[in-house]
Amino acid sequence: MAVRCAAALCALLLLSISGLALSDAPPSTPVSPSAACNATTDPTFCRSVLPPRGKGDLYTYGRFSVSESLAGARKFAALVDRYLARHRHLSPSAIGALRDCQLMAELNVDFLSAAGATIRDTDTLLDPQANDVHTLLSAILTNQQTCFDGLQAASAAWSDRGGLDAPIANGTKLYSLSLSLFTRAWVPTAKKAGHSHKGGGGGKGGGHHGHGGKHKKPPARRGLFDVTDDEVVRRMAIEGPERTVAVNTVVTVDQSGAGNFTTVGDAVAAAPRNLDGSGGYYLIYVLAGVYEENVMVPKHSKYIMMVGDGIGQTVITGNRSVIDGWTTFQSATFAVVGQGFVAMNMTFRNTAGPAKHQAVALRSGADLSAFYSCSFEAFQDTLYTHSLRQFYRGCDVYGTVDYVFGNAAVVFQGCTFYSRLPMQGQSNTVTAQGRSDPNQNTGTSIQGCALVPAPELAANTAFTTLTYLGRPWKNFSRTVVMESYVGGLVNPAGWMPWSGDFALDTLYYAEYNNTGPGADTSRRVAWPGYHVLGDGTDARNFTVTSMVLGDNWLPQTGVPFTSGLLS
């Protein structure tokens, strides 16, 4: 069977085995390590890792690679710890970058341990297990890239960084190998179960979608519950916006001192460790007020639900920025890592301003995190959808440059993206998606949303601001805008290059069934990676069901969602 493969994309060469391509053969088919490596993203590196005289199948090699990755992650974590122990000799920017690397390394050890435990004793994984492992292996590459980016940004003030460059590069190759072998061996089984996470498909089409439809408004905002009897709420489930939400404990944050805590950070710090969600959420009710604090929800603070009194009523605000010495990662006013986090009826804000460049309002690297009826307000890099699986419903996002960025598998539904007035000479880019490996199951899906100018941009006539749907932050950047209202502020080209022809043939950008004056695709970019989807077949890959497996975990959050296409 003749197979044609784009070498520039990922060097996914297919080897013929007994008349079958390796990708068509059962993963349990015995194959030499060298032959197995031909189906990976870097065959030469793969052959240097797998035992040369070994004989096994793709499952065997996948387990071996994950085990090697875990050993490498532990060594790298120890190396970062040693660098930090010499912190008196390092600049503040270097220390900040190393602390980011420290967290990323710890998470990678956790993720690889969990992935290895799942695949250790079985050759058969169906969703959600297969998607869980695929998500974890995708996230370790994102974490590694975050570490590298931070160190690179700090390199001007740090001459002693060289000892980390080679371990980071080798770790990235090893993690990519683990992800590649896993997708070859286990993901096809999951796809047979009816869930596809493939980002390709859909040739580039012509023409445009209609402009006469109305923007689908997000659902009306409403309070989640009325805290009138804490004991009743503790003992009984509370009624969420869509369905009953199980709650284990309720605490209140009130600046007047009438609640359990006066700061959000203290309420988070008091949360029990490592809840699994089966016994309900630790619910933090944050009364109306402006809370000037930077909050971090750590990895062991799982299944926290945070509910405010509404957008603009309950506000968490800070002003950290890259210009003031923080890494982009650490600039977040609110950051969450703990799995299962849910926020409702709140505003997250960074007031650093456009002149301070990267300044994040909220960063989420929390798997199975959801945000409902929240607003995220800043300028450059407002919302950092860092990694893992996330969902946003009925939210408002305000920003200028790359104001939704990161490498999570994330779906926005019924949200409004407000492009603000940037500094003179800047263009607005709504998204900057950071997928760096072709096997990552990540991407940004914008469904049933509105992309419109913020009031100050709409009112300004002093200079013309160009606004684009997105630009490719990393090589395999993947973003889809579908069933949404695209305002006239969006440039007819739609998408903006990052630098020259970087990633234009490896990215995946697509539009499907959008409306509004900016939805005309007849003058869009002519990049190889850009697609106009003619029907819903490929668009379904970017719905809640397929992109984040939301049917499995969103019901318990109480956040409303639509599983598939809207029409």
Side-chain angles (χ1 to χ4, degrees):
M1 179 176 68
V3 179
R4 195 163 143 191
C5 183
L9 181 66
C10 60
L12 292 178
L13 304 176
L14 301 177
L15 180 73
S16 177
I17 301 177
S18 302
L20 290 175
L22 180 58
S23 59
D24 295 330
S28 57
T29 301
V31 61
S32 70
S34 180
C37 287
N38 284 338
T40 65
T41 53
D42 190 338
T44 301
F45 177 78
C46 175
R47 293 187 186 100
S48 74
V49 173
L50 297 185
R53 293 182 178 82
K55 192 70 174 179
D57 54 26
L58 289 180
Y59 295 121
T60 302
Y61 301 136
R63 293 187 185 101
F64 179 83
S65 179
V66 168
S67 177
E68 290 293 294
S69 292
L70 177 56
R74 285 174 171 152
K75 289 179 182 177
F76 183 70
L79 179 61
V80 173
D81 288 344
R82 288 197 295 273
Y83 265 80
L84 275 170
R86 307 200 307 261
H87 69 275
R88 286 175 296 179
H89 307 293
L90 298 176
S91 67
S93 60
I95 293 172
L98 280 169
R99 284 176 177 160
D100 291 350
C101 288
Q102 186 178 49
L103 174 59
M104 297 299 98
E106 290 174 0
L107 291 173
N108 282 353
V109 170
D110 293 346
F111 294 170
L112 284 162
S113 298
T118 301
I119 66 174
R120 184 175 300 129
D121 300 319
T122 180
D123 293 347
T124 303
L125 288 181
L126 299 177
D127 283 337
Q129 271 192 315
N131 187 254
D132 289 346
V133 177
H134 198 175
T135 297
L136 292 174
L137 295 180
S138 295
I140 63 172
L141 276 166
T142 303
N143 291 343
Q144 192 82 342
Q145 186 70 54
T146 300
C147 171
F148 174 79
D149 287 347
L151 292 175
Q152 191 174 45
S155 61
W158 183 17
S159 59
D160 189 29
R161 176 197 144 185
L164 291 171
D165 285 347
I168 290 175
N170 289 334
T172 298
K173 290 180 180 180
L174 188 54
Y175 300 158
S176 179
L177 174 60
S178 293
L179 178 59
S180 184
L181 289 171
F182 174 80
T183 57
R184 301 283 84 72
W186 279 275
V187 170
T189 302
K191 288 182 178 179
K192 290 174 187 174
H195 293 298
S196 173
H197 300 277
K198 183 180 178 183
K204 185 177 178 183
H208 63 277
H209 301 299
H211 306 310
K214 294 181 178 179
H215 162 52
K216 301 173 181 67
K217 292 292 185 183
R221 299 185 176 98
R222 43 185 163 155
L224 177 64
F225 65 102
D226 183 12
V227 184
T228 56
D229 187 333
D230 281 356
E231 197 59 32
V232 171
V233 176
R234 286 190 183 96
R235 292 180 179 178
M236 301 175 63
I238 62 170
E239 192 65 23
E242 286 291 294
R243 53 187 60 82
T244 298
V245 177
V247 172
N248 177 281
T249 304
V250 174
V251 298
T252 59
V253 180
D254 187 343
Q255 291 175 321
S256 72
N260 302 101
F261 304 96
T262 57
T263 70
V264 177
D266 285 346
V268 170
R273 298 173 68 94
N274 295 314
L275 293 175
D276 64 6
S278 62
Y281 289 95
Y282 174 81
L283 193 148
I284 302 172
Y285 172 45
V286 188
L287 276 71
V290 177
Y291 296 82
E292 296 183 8
E293 51 181 310
N294 289 85
V295 180
M296 169 67 170
V297 180
K299 66 178 185 178
H300 57 74
S301 296
K302 300 178 180 180
Y303 291 94
I304 289 178
M305 178 177 284
M306 191 171 292
V307 181
D309 278 331
I311 288 177
Q313 300 300 308
T314 297
V315 180
I316 302 178
T317 183
N319 61 3
R320 292 178 178 174
S321 70
V322 167
I323 294 297
D324 286 337
W326 301 92
T327 64
T328 300
F329 191 81
Q330 292 172 348
S331 71
T333 298
F334 193 99
V336 54
V337 180
Q339 178 175 307
F341 180 82
V342 180
M344 302 184 185
N345 302 339
M346 302 185 68
T347 290
F348 303 93
R349 182 180 293 160
N350 190 314
T351 61
K356 293 297 181 71
H357 299 288
Q358 298 95 328
V360 176
L362 182 135
R363 183 191 84 233
S364 178
D367 198 21
L368 313 180
S369 55
F371 300 83
Y372 176 51
S373 190
C374 291
S375 71
F376 310 92
E377 302 172 5
F379 290 86
Q380 181 171 345
D381 290 3
T382 301
L383 179 55
Y384 196 173
T385 54
H386 180 264
S387 56
L388 302 166
R389 292 165 291 193
Q390 307 180 24
F391 179 68
Y392 296 75
R393 172 80 176 211
C395 293
D396 298 332
V397 190
Y398 294 81
T400 54
V401 178
D402 305 338
Y403 64 92
V404 176
F405 74 111
N407 194 26
V410 56
V411 177
F412 292 88
Q413 241 179 35
C415 296
T416 304
F417 299 86
Y418 291 100
S419 293
R420 305 180 78 172
L421 187 66
M423 294 191 295
Q424 191 156 3
Q426 286 185 329
S427 296
N428 286 334
T429 40
V430 179
T431 66
Q433 207 281 328
R435 185 166 170 257
S436 61
D437 189 284
N439 290 308
Q440 288 177 306
N441 64 351
T442 54
T444 297
S445 175
I446 295 174
Q447 182 188 26
C449 296
L451 296 90
V452 297
E456 69 269 24
L457 179 62
N460 185 273
T461 58
F463 63 90
T464 302
T465 296
L466 299 178
T467 297
Y468 298 89
L469 299 174
R471 60 176 181 159
W473 184 24
K474 303 297 179 185
N475 242 320
F476 297 91
S477 182
R478 180 159 60 178
T479 301
V480 176
V481 180
M482 59 186 188
E483 302 180 301
S484 294
Y485 176 88
V486 182
L489 76 163
V490 173
N491 186 275
W495 306 83
M496 179 182 178
W498 185 271
S499 177
D501 62 358
F502 170 75
L504 301 188
D505 60 344
T506 52
L507 60 78
Y508 183 91
Y509 287 166
E511 297 179 60
Y512 170 71
N513 201 27
N514 295 315
T515 62
D520 184 346
T521 59
S522 63
R523 297 167 59 190
R524 288 294 196 253
V525 294
W527 303 341
Y530 172 70
H531 307 267
V532 177
L533 305 183
D535 59 42
T537 302
D538 293 303
R540 288 188 183 92
N541 291 324
F542 302 96
T543 60
V544 165
T545 291
S546 293
M547 192 77 188
V548 296
L549 246 64
D551 300 295
N552 293 80
W553 59 275
L554 279 172
Q556 79 176 85
T557 69
V559 176
F561 67 96
T562 299
S563 296
L565 296 174
L566 302 180
S567 59

